[in-house]
Amino acid sequence: MLHLSASLWILLTVCWAQQTPLPTTHSPNQNRGIKFRLAGYPRKHNEGRVEVFYNQEWGTICDDDFTMENAHILCRHLGFTEATGWTHSAKYGKGVGRIWLDNVICSGSEKSITDCNSRGWGNSDCTHEEDAGVICKDERIPGFIEPNTIETEQRQVEEIRLRPAVSGAKNRLPVAEGILEVKHKDSWEQVCDAGWTVKNSRVVCGMLGFPSDKKLNKNFYKNVKKQVAVKRPPKVAFKPRRIKKQAAVKRPPKVALKPRLYLERQKPAFRLHSVQCTGSEVHLSLCPMDFYKVNSSSTCDGSPVVVSCSMGHAISSSLLSNKKKKVTVQREETIRLKGGSRPGEGRVEILKNGQWGTVCDDRWDLQAASVVCRELGFGSAKEALTGARMGQGMGPIHMNEVRCTGLESSIWDCQYKNITEEDCKHTEDAAVKCNSPYMGYERTIRLAGGRTRTEGRVEVLYGPRGSERWGLICGEGWGTMEAATVCQQIGLGYVSSALQETWYWDASNVTQMVLSGVRCSGNEMSLQQCTHHGTVSCKNTGTRHAAGVICSETASDLVLHAALVQETAYIEDRPLHMLYCAAEENCLSSSARNANWPYGHRRLLRFSSQIHNNGRADFRPKAGRHSWVWHECHGHYHSMDIFTHYDLLTSNGTKVAEGHKASFCLEDSDCQELVSKRYECANFGEQGITVGCWDLYRHDIDCQWIDITDVKPGNYILQVVINPNYEVAESDFTNNAMKCNCKYDGHRIWIHNCHLGDAFSEEANKQFEQYRGQLNNQII
């Protein structure tokens, strides 16, 4: 046996030197001497930072050149069938020790990570801020044996919940008070309250989506403890005996004990004790704590921990009725999230000197993100996103290198640096994903009949409690806002298409229309909060005319370059003989029909319009190529009849000019650095606007104007609105409008103070709309 072991050791050494897959006795995907594990926080058992044991030392893998192919192979090393995603920039926290692998490039066919190309073991120019992680499908490889290959952190907290102490409260959502339970394998166990502090409660509430904890009614739970201590009446045992038929059988009276509290029903099973958080942690697993050993005889000297959380204004306002919302005093917000697909996520924007701006992602971390989340009325942060992962903002960048402890009440209380143009660009805008309370909204809606889980006919659970039934929504008037609410409610991201007719398979046998006239504003958290008809009114009640949606993980976001409008605006008196093509496209006001063609002229307010796509998906026209319209004058196809509105308004919103550009051809005029053009109008090419590109309509092209021939001298508002009818889905519609102050004396025009509709504070917007001379329409 000794000679055999020596021979085997020589074979292993030679195989390792030649970088070939080593023979294994446990799993075909493992190499002797190399082990893998998942680590970090916060995470579940099938995700985490990848750590590799090599040369008797644990280390990490750098995220440079990391791909899904790498993730698939690593997940198979870990005993999972495949990967569903991977992470970069140390999402699960920074590792320690060596960075064993860098620039790993796999094709996906390799049996081992050692078969992939890399810089070699221990050769890396990365830091632990670039540690890679994987998210594996929660499905194990059949027969996978994992002794000595996977070291999972069994002593960690993955999932927690609050279980209501009162039986009647179990169906009320969100659960903001109850017994703290942690998930261990397939069961829920309690935490011992010996030494428990409000700092611990703050961390727990943050994980559950609440901004803070609140004082607990301890007397109530003391009574609970007393009730638990009360012994139940002993059971009386009877020995069978023969009795006369006539004799009545005496039985002991039944003791009716209907338990009022969950704590009375089962004996607590404790998992944790001695938890010591500072209050700044974003996850309970970051706090020092002790675990009870399995099958240990140790008991808790106290009771199960009970936590009470304070409801944030972000959630509480959504639960108010419309009447109460009107009564509630709206406070001026100084921080907001933009471009997210659901409440509690988005690009961070802050208000400074009356103007909204973004935050640069240098040194952006979970502590800073958590301060933002709690300030907005959510819990702690799930993710601190960098690299404009929620789209790019416009305007100023107000902060850089934000450093927070996690205990601040506002991001303005954190340390930060003022920005300079050399420091950051909007490609580095910071974003967050916050923990939100579980509301159970997804249980009342579903998609049916779709080709994938992200599309289908919309079915809603409707009716009085106890007699709910699944039904359909009438497709008449169904639009982008309503479809976006559905995608958000189900958790499928953004809307891609709103379908008024559906040809999906009737998989659920649901045929009855239960809702019609649904109208959403875009601020609702569920479709049930939108308005609808009191009684169903639908012309076509067949399932083909039911509302449907197609959802997407990403969406476009169009923004107008406001400063360019101000810089390029001027008046031109254009001869009528040069406007035949414009008249054909209805680019002139109606009075032009009565003009003495081809003599005379029209007075035109010209300006350039540069429309950026700052989202995360290309903007494509709603209509397919088959329905595009050829325009002989311009020599190309127009893909959208209504893409942008140009209007001149009085202070009360009345339109005073009507001639403007009607239809558009969408293409990439120019792009950011390292972004390539994909769309062009010429030669019946594909139309659209690529992410990171913009479509420029120069001031000197046909119809790029407003016909102001009939406008009287005065002060006005120039307004440009992109995608005004929401025909194409975007991640954010609030930044689609641009306004400018406009002064016209009958000969000259001054355009100033151009800005996006959501770029200023409410006070600044009021001053804009009521500047001197605006209300009396006099030239000043």
Side-chain angles (χ1 to χ4, degrees):
M1 290 297 293
L2 290 175
H3 292 291
L4 179 61
S5 299
S7 301
L8 180 59
W9 175 251
I10 293 171
L11 173 62
L12 292 173
T13 305
V14 171
C15 288
W16 174 249
Q18 295 177 349
Q19 291 283 305
T20 57
L22 301 181
T24 63
T25 57
H26 297 297
S27 168
N29 293 335
Q30 304 295 334
N31 285 4
R32 276 192 180 279
I34 303 178
K35 303 176 186 178
F36 300 89
R37 71 181 180 189
L38 296 175
Y41 65 87
R43 67 181 186 86
K44 296 183 179 179
H45 66 282
N46 58 325
E47 62 177 310
R49 180 179 63 248
V50 179
E51 295 194 348
V52 186
F53 187 73
Y54 171 73
N55 199 21
Q56 302 302 310
E57 184 179 352
W58 284 103
T60 61
I61 298 177
C62 182
D63 61 14
D64 290 351
D65 296 327
F66 207 89
T67 63
M68 276 296 291
E69 285 71 24
N70 300 14
H72 284 310
I73 292 172
L74 287 166
C75 284
R76 289 196 288 268
H77 274 306
L78 293 159
F80 297 97
T81 56
E82 61 180 330
T84 59
W86 64 276
T87 66
H88 59 86
S89 304
K91 175 187 172 181
Y92 299 102
K94 294 185 288 187
V96 295
R98 300 285 295 275
I99 298 176
W100 279 125
L101 293 172
D102 188 8
N103 298 111
V104 181
I105 301 175
C106 304
S107 66
S109 61
E110 297 86 353
K111 293 183 178 180
S112 169
I113 198 72
T114 59
D115 297 333
C116 303
N117 294 324
S118 71
R119 299 179 62 162
W121 289 97
N123 185 7
S124 173
D125 60 357
C126 296
T127 66
H128 281 295
E129 292 182 347
E130 302 169 84
D131 285 343
V134 295
I135 305 167
C136 302
K137 185 177 181 180
D138 194 6
E139 183 179 319
R140 305 293 291 177
I141 296 175
F144 187 88
I145 305 172
E146 50 186 359
N148 303 320
T149 56
I150 302 177
E151 290 191 11
T152 56
E153 298 173 359
Q154 297 297 332
R155 293 196 162 194
Q156 66 176 356
V157 176
E158 291 184 0
E159 192 174 348
I160 66 172
R161 73 178 183 186
L162 294 182
R163 188 178 64 173
V166 181
S167 303
K170 63 180 180 179
N171 293 322
R172 299 174 191 165
L173 293 175
V175 179
E177 180 174 310
I179 303 157
L180 175 62
E181 295 187 328
V182 297
K183 193 168 187 181
H184 179 225
K185 295 183 178 178
D186 294 326
S187 63
W188 291 92
E189 300 178 358
Q190 290 76 43
V191 180
C192 182
D193 70 352
W196 186 264
T197 67
V198 293
K199 295 179 180 178
N200 300 345
S201 296
R202 185 177 191 270
V203 175
V204 168
C205 290
M207 289 178 63
L208 295 171
F210 302 101
S212 61
D213 63 301
K214 67 178 181 180
K215 192 174 181 180
L216 194 67
N217 184 357
K218 294 184 178 179
N219 292 329
F220 173 78
Y221 290 97
K222 283 180 182 178
N223 294 332
V224 174
K225 192 173 181 181
K226 288 178 183 178
Q227 291 180 35
V228 174
V230 174
K231 293 184 178 179
R232 295 176 181 272
K235 293 182 179 179
V236 181
F238 292 92
K239 292 182 180 180
R241 61 187 179 90
R242 293 181 181 179
I243 56 175
K244 295 179 181 180
K245 280 187 178 181
Q246 294 81 2
V249 180
K250 291 185 178 181
R251 300 183 182 275
K254 290 184 179 180
V255 180
L257 280 178
K258 186 177 180 180
R260 187 169 73 90
L261 303 157
Y262 279 124
L263 286 174
E264 298 176 79
R265 293 187 178 182
Q266 71 179 64
K267 183 179 179 181
F270 292 103
R271 172 71 174 155
L272 303 176
H273 67 95
S274 304
V275 182
Q276 300 175 6
C277 301
T278 65
S280 63
E281 296 86 352
V282 298
H283 199 277
L284 199 63
S285 60
L286 298 176
C287 304
M289 66 184 75
D290 292 324
F291 290 76
Y292 286 104
K293 294 181 180 178
V294 181
N295 300 324
S296 172
S297 59
S298 301
T299 58
C300 172
D301 294 332
S303 303
V305 167
V306 179
V307 175
S308 181
C309 301
S310 178
M311 190 86 70
H313 58 84
I315 302 299
S316 59
S317 62
S318 70
L319 300 177
L320 295 175
S321 64
N322 290 331
K323 281 186 178 180
K324 291 182 178 179
K325 283 182 181 179
K326 292 178 181 178
V327 176
T328 304
V329 178
Q330 293 292 327
R331 59 175 187 170
E332 175 78 15
E333 57 180 4
T334 58
I335 188 168
R336 67 186 184 187
L337 300 181
K338 302 283 283 185
S341 64
R342 59 195 312 169
E345 68 175 50
R347 179 179 62 254
V348 179
E349 294 190 355
I350 55 178
L351 187 64
K352 184 178 182 181
N353 298 328
Q355 189 171 8
W356 288 99
T358 61
V359 177
C360 186
D361 64 9
D362 291 349
R363 304 184 74 177
W364 185 250
D365 59 13
L366 282 168
Q367 273 64 42
S370 291
V371 171
V372 169
C373 289
R374 291 182 189 271
E375 186 177 356
L376 288 166
F378 298 98
S380 52
K382 285 189 293 188
E383 291 186 63
L385 303 173
T386 59
R389 288 272 301 281
M390 289 292 174
Q392 298 179 34
M394 295 284 280
I397 301 174
H398 287 321
M399 284 185 177
N400 187 21
E401 296 191 24
V402 180
R403 304 300 291 168
C404 304
T405 64
L407 297 174
E408 295 86 354
S409 59
S410 171
I411 192 173
W412 293 105
D413 299 330
C414 302
Q415 296 180 359
Y416 65 91
K417 289 184 179 180
N418 292 318
I419 207 76
T420 63
E421 290 185 4
E422 294 76 21
D423 289 334
C424 280
K425 297 179 180 179
H426 282 295
T427 53
E428 302 170 81
D429 284 343
V432 297
K433 284 188 177 181
C434 305
N435 287 314
S436 296
Y438 177 69
M439 304 298 293
Y441 288 138
E442 76 286 353
R443 298 185 302 191
T444 60
I445 195 167
R446 67 188 184 189
L447 301 183
R451 296 162 294 182
T452 66
R453 60 182 289 270
T454 60
E455 66 173 315
R457 183 181 296 117
V458 180
E459 296 181 356
V460 292
L461 196 61
Y462 191 75
R465 180 171 292 182
S467 59
E468 300 97 333
R469 68 186 189 278
W470 289 101
L472 304 176
I473 300 175
C474 180
E476 294 170 17
W478 184 258
T480 300
M481 287 299 189
E482 293 72 41
T485 303
V486 170
C487 292
Q488 169 191 295
Q489 184 176 349
I490 302 178
L492 294 177
Y494 307 92
V495 61
S496 175
S497 298
L499 308 175
Q500 294 187 352
E501 290 188 28
T502 53
W503 298 87
Y504 295 121
W505 181 260
D506 296 331
S508 59
N509 294 322
V510 176
T511 59
Q512 185 178 0
M513 297 281 184
V514 297
L515 283 178
S516 65
V518 178
R519 287 289 180 272
C520 302
S521 65
N523 299 319
E524 298 85 358
M525 298 183 70
S526 73
L527 204 65
Q528 286 75 5
Q529 296 174 356
C530 302
T531 61
H532 57 83
H533 292 158
T535 57
V536 177
S537 175
C538 192
K539 294 179 181 178
N540 300 302
T541 57
T543 56
R544 183 167 68 88
H545 298 281
V549 299
I550 301 175
C551 304
S552 173
E553 291 183 359
T554 57
S556 60
D557 184 20
L558 298 187
V559 183
L560 185 70
H561 187 2
L564 186 64
V565 174
Q566 183 169 320
E567 293 166 4
T568 57
Y570 65 95
I571 287 178
E572 179 192 10
D573 289 335
R574 194 165 183 81
L576 284 175
H577 69 83
M578 301 177 67
L579 294 174
Y580 281 104
C581 192
E584 181 184 318
E585 288 197 29
N586 296 318
C587 295
L588 303 175
S589 62
S590 57
S591 63
R593 300 191 193 101
N594 301 322
N596 186 20
W597 293 79
Y599 308 104
H601 66 272
R602 304 298 293 181
R603 177 157 291 182
L604 309 174
L605 171 58
R606 285 186 172 274
F607 53 87
S608 294
S609 176
Q610 185 171 296
I611 300 169
H612 294 245
N613 183 359
N614 287 350
R616 293 187 292 151
D618 294 353
F619 185 93
R620 300 299 308 279
K622 180 180 180 180
R625 294 168 66 97
H626 63 281
S627 60
W628 294 355
V629 178
W630 172 258
H631 282 261
E632 189 66 35
C633 290
H634 296 161
H636 57 235
Y637 285 89
H638 285 178
S639 59
M640 291 190 71
D641 286 336
I642 303 175
F643 177 60
T644 306
H645 280 172
Y646 302 154
D647 291 306
L648 202 62
L649 312 173
T650 63
S651 59
N652 62 8
T654 304
K655 294 182 181 180
V656 295
E658 56 180 324
H660 54 73
K661 189 171 179 62
S663 52
F664 293 77
C665 169
L666 307 180
E667 66 178 1
D668 294 328
S669 302
D670 207 348
C671 301
Q672 296 175 359
E673 189 178 357
L674 302 179
V675 179
S676 301
K677 298 179 184 179
R678 298 181 59 187
Y679 305 106
E680 62 177 352
C681 296
N683 302 319
F684 198 39
E686 288 289 344
Q687 294 191 24
I689 307 176
T690 306
V691 175
C693 298
W694 53 88
D695 190 1
L696 175 62
Y697 298 93
R698 286 174 49 90
H699 57 84
D700 54 357
I701 68 172
D702 226 13
C703 292
Q704 185 59 35
W705 60 60
I706 298 177
D707 185 350
I708 63 170
T709 305
D710 306 318
V711 175
K712 297 178 181 180
N715 293 292
Y716 301 97
I717 295 174
L718 170 62
Q719 178 176 278
V720 179
V721 183
I722 309 168
N723 194 14
N725 295 345
Y726 311 137
E727 287 190 357
V728 179
E730 298 184 50
S731 61
D732 184 10
F733 288 108
T734 62
N735 56 7
N736 282 30
M738 183 226 67
K739 294 182 178 181
C740 305
N741 287 130
C742 178
K743 183 187 295 185
Y744 176 52
D745 67 357
H747 306 284
R748 296 166 298 175
I749 199 161
W750 293 266
I751 304 293
H752 61 100
N753 206 12
C754 292
H755 65 281
L756 296 178
D758 67 341
F760 289 169
S761 65
E762 291 183 14
E763 184 63 30
N765 274 325
K766 289 179 182 177
Q767 294 176 3
F768 166 82
E769 293 173 358
Q770 299 180 6
Y771 77 97
R772 190 182 176 199
Q774 185 74 35
L775 296 180
N776 58 20
N777 205 31
Q778 297 296 314
I779 298 296
I780 295 176

